[in-house]
Amino acid sequence: MWSYERRLQYPVNIKQTNPDLAMAIITQFGGPNGELGASMRYLSQRYTMTDRRVAGVLTDIGTEELAHLELVSTIVHQLTRNLTAEQIEGTPFASYYVDHTVGIWPQAASGMPWSAATIQSTGDPIADLHENLAAEQKARLTYDNILRLVKDHDVCDPIRFLRKRELIHYQRFGESLRIIQDDLNSKNFYAFNPAFDKDC
Amino acid sequence: MGKMDRYELLCEISKVSFTMDDLRIFLDTHPDCSEALERFEKMAKKREELIAIFNDNYGPMNFYNNNDCTEHWRWVDAPWPWEGEC
Amino acid sequence: MYRGNFNQAMMPRGGNRGMEGGNCGGNMGMRNNGSGRNQEKNNAMGRENRCPADTRNNAARQEEDCCCERNNLPVREENCCCERNNFPVREENCCCENTTQDAPQNADRICECNPSVHDQLAGMALVMAYIPWQDYKDVDCEADGWKNGTIFQQLDFDFMARRCN
């Protein structure tokens, strides 16, 4: 069950619009390494986790990623609000605008719509946690790429915050993997899937 | 504490809540760490006070605390978080 | 390596952290393959310059059963090249034992078949990934933690190739 708080996890107050930058940053909303995918991935995986601590990590980080997609969407919104047609025509933003005006829609920087094909929930705790470690690194590197394109401090500040969270999440998934390992026999971690083979 | 304006109060709530966010996921993997538990509890108390002040002065922060609107649904009055302060 | 403005504002906090990038110095937890060929690795581990081949006959002996002795290598001592190149001198894990080469210049290649003798993760089960456990320490106040994106200084690594502040 989810409750909503009427605040952002970190402030976003952007004074200067920049539609082209918005088209790069929108990728962390609906792109392959973005927050929507992260959230859906973790919230989907938690049901078959064998250890309650790990289910807790997935629930809490999955929830935090919802707060992050709100941050990314807010950044995109503030970079594109109040634009005029003259400011839009002839820019890369024009092709997004024609379908969405200055609405917020989950897509990658390339224009590909968000897809569940970019996430996995395998039902195998070892595989799922490795997927999550990789996902956090992909999210981190995408923020690195965005930071190379940003000059405005108002945009830099929340993006740096979001990037830092990916490192912390990586550490937590790493610890979750250690927890899963502890619950298995190290002589053969792969003897069975603890989430499926019940009587081994 | 002295009277804060809405944005200052929001920032104070965010700082305390964020500390709880970081502690929450740490505690998920270290559920018996007494130092983390202690800090979490301290933050939770501070947050409760700040939220109460916010709700009284600036409208409800959560929809489950929206219990004083006998005549008017205050939830739709205040700025939404994505509007920013600019 | 990173480019960009490496100015004071971007210096990582703390003494031990801020090891940005993959190759910014130190071994980053990688194993020393014991190869005397790689002088930089040995230096990064705080070792002396590598032992010249001809000191093997000058180094004093410390242990009777040192495998280095059997392979005609200098035995464990202050400036012994075994120690400098992180070769084991004990019987059980001695990689020197597994070679038939006795020429001193081949000592460098001795441990390539048994890299685990120099591995910090030796003993952990294979075919698995391990992230070390974080301790509860170096925890920031609310204001600093929020600004930095985490209250845990140990997890705080900035991106130094950014072009904004």
Side-chain angles (χ1 to χ4, degrees):
Chain A
M1 168 68 220
W2 273 271
S3 173
Y4 181 72
E5 285 216 345
R6 197 195 193 87
R7 63 180 180 88
L8 298 177
Q9 195 186 33
Y10 193 81
V12 176
N13 300 309
I14 299 173
K15 299 182 273 297
Q16 176 63 53
T17 55
N18 188 334
D20 296 341
L21 186 59
M23 282 298 98
I25 291 175
I26 203 170
T27 214
Q28 285 303 76
F29 176 28
N33 310 328
E35 307 286 0
L36 175 55
S39 176
M40 293 301 103
R41 182 191 287 107
Y42 308 146
L43 294 174
S44 301
Q45 288 174 359
R46 62 196 177 123
Y47 300 98
T48 48
M49 276 301 154
T50 47
D51 192 297
R52 286 193 171 151
R53 289 166 288 180
V54 180
V57 171
L58 288 166
T59 298
D60 294 341
I61 294 184
T63 301
E64 187 177 349
E65 305 293 18
L66 290 174
H68 291 175
L69 70 84
E70 184 182 40
L71 276 173
V72 173
S73 301
T74 298
I75 293 170
V76 173
H77 168 66
Q78 291 190 9
L79 285 170
T80 53
R81 63 180 162 186
N82 302 325
L83 286 174
T84 63
E86 288 73 28
Q87 287 172 300
I88 293 170
E89 68 185 334
T91 71
F93 179 66
S95 42
Y96 175 91
Y97 149 82
V98 85
D99 287 325
H100 307 292
T101 332
V102 289
I104 306 297
W105 187 70
Q107 63 162 53
S110 63
M112 288 277 285
W114 182 78
S115 166
T118 63
I119 69 174
Q120 239 293 28
S121 170
T122 65
D124 177 307
I126 293 176
D128 278 348
L129 287 166
H130 280 82
E131 156 99 3
N132 300 351
L133 290 168
E136 295 297 343
Q137 290 293 343
K138 287 188 286 183
R140 186 266 313 158
L141 84 88
T142 310
Y143 283 121
D144 288 350
N145 290 343
I146 289 171
L147 283 172
R148 288 194 194 90
L149 300 177
V150 173
K151 309 263 186 36
D152 182 350
H153 168 80
D154 292 347
V155 180
C156 193
D157 202 25
I159 295 286
R160 286 180 62 201
F161 174 87
L162 286 163
R163 174 189 167 280
K164 200 63 69 64
R165 298 308 299 150
E166 313 302 0
L167 304 181
I168 283 58
H169 294 170
Y170 181 86
Q171 177 65 27
R172 296 299 160 240
F173 288 130
E175 289 164 352
S176 302
L177 182 57
R178 298 292 299 271
I179 288 172
I180 295 294
Q181 288 156 12
D182 287 345
D183 292 342
L184 293 169
N185 186 340
S186 66
K187 290 203 172 49
N188 184 357
F189 287 126
Y190 306 107
F192 59 94
N193 176 353
F196 190 77
D197 306 304
K198 294 300 176 202
D199 296 321
C200 295
Chain B
M1 72 197 79
K3 177 106 164 61
M4 282 183 267
D5 71 17
R6 182 176 172 277
Y7 186 65
E8 277 176 313
L9 187 51
L10 213 45
C11 285
E12 286 309 304
I13 291 172
S14 293
K15 285 175 199 164
V16 169
S17 304
F18 174 71
T19 301
M20 292 170 73
D21 290 340
D22 225 5
L23 285 169
R24 178 187 313 116
I25 52 181
F26 180 88
L27 284 163
D28 284 339
T29 52
H30 303 69
D32 296 308
C33 172
S34 54
E35 291 178 58
L37 286 165
E38 201 178 303
R39 179 87 186 268
F40 188 89
E41 206 184 313
K42 188 168 156 206
M43 295 294 101
K45 281 199 178 75
K46 191 166 172 194
R47 192 187 120 98
E48 209 177 306
E49 289 165 12
L50 291 168
I51 295 269
I53 295 171
F54 190 92
N55 284 343
D56 284 341
N57 290 286
Y58 302 113
M61 174 65 73
N62 307 95
F63 38 67
Y64 284 121
N65 281 4
N66 214 345
N67 57 2
D68 63 344
C69 43
T70 46
E71 289 164 7
H72 177 70
W73 180 248
R74 293 201 299 160
W75 182 247
V76 297
D77 285 344
W80 287 99
W82 53 85
E83 294 178 30
E85 299 294 316
C86 304
Chain C
M1 278 307 179
Y2 47 82
R3 291 168 285 141
N5 301 320
F6 189 68
N7 59 37
Q8 208 48 35
M10 294 193 193
M11 283 297 286
R13 295 184 301 148
N16 299 332
R17 305 178 304 104
M19 294 291 265
E20 280 293 340
N23 297 312
C24 291
N27 278 339
M28 300 292 280
M30 284 165 61
R31 59 179 174 79
N32 181 336
N33 64 12
S35 165
R37 286 176 294 201
N38 193 331
Q39 187 167 357
E40 284 69 38
K41 277 218 179 94
N42 285 333
N43 286 340
M45 293 278 285
R47 302 278 177 191
E48 301 295 324
N49 289 331
R50 72 177 271 215
C51 169
D54 64 8
T55 61
R56 63 188 166 119
N57 293 317
N58 296 327
R61 294 196 168 159
Q62 193 162 12
E63 284 181 71
E64 290 297 326
D65 292 332
C66 171
C67 76
C68 302
E69 186 183 327
R70 278 186 265 114
N71 289 304
N72 212 19
L73 295 168
V75 301
R76 190 180 181 133
E77 183 65 52
E78 289 295 325
N79 294 320
C80 168
C81 88
C82 273
E83 184 183 336
R84 280 208 210 100
N85 291 305
N86 210 19
F87 290 176
V89 298
R90 292 299 196 170
E91 187 70 39
E92 290 91 313
N93 292 325
C94 178
C95 64
C96 308
E97 198 177 339
N98 296 326
T99 185
T100 54
Q101 296 166 331
D102 54 22
Q105 61 267 29
N106 290 323
D108 299 339
R109 295 191 185 85
I110 284 168
C111 293
E112 284 195 5
C113 291
N114 299 279
S116 69
V117 295
H118 307 307
D119 189 356
Q120 290 174 2
L121 298 182
M124 308 288 281
L126 296 179
V127 198
M128 182 47 75
Y130 302 95
I131 306 286
W133 278 100
Q134 182 201 346
D135 292 335
Y136 187 83
K137 63 179 194 179
D138 300 334
V139 186
D140 269 334
C141 65
E142 297 87 90
D144 288 348
W146 194 47
K147 264 286 147 197
N148 291 330
T150 179
I151 61 174
F152 296 113
Q153 291 172 20
Q154 286 184 294
L155 307 183
D156 189 356
F157 295 98
D158 270 329
F159 181 58
M160 308 307 281
R162 68 182 189 273
R163 297 202 290 161
C164 57
N165 268 310

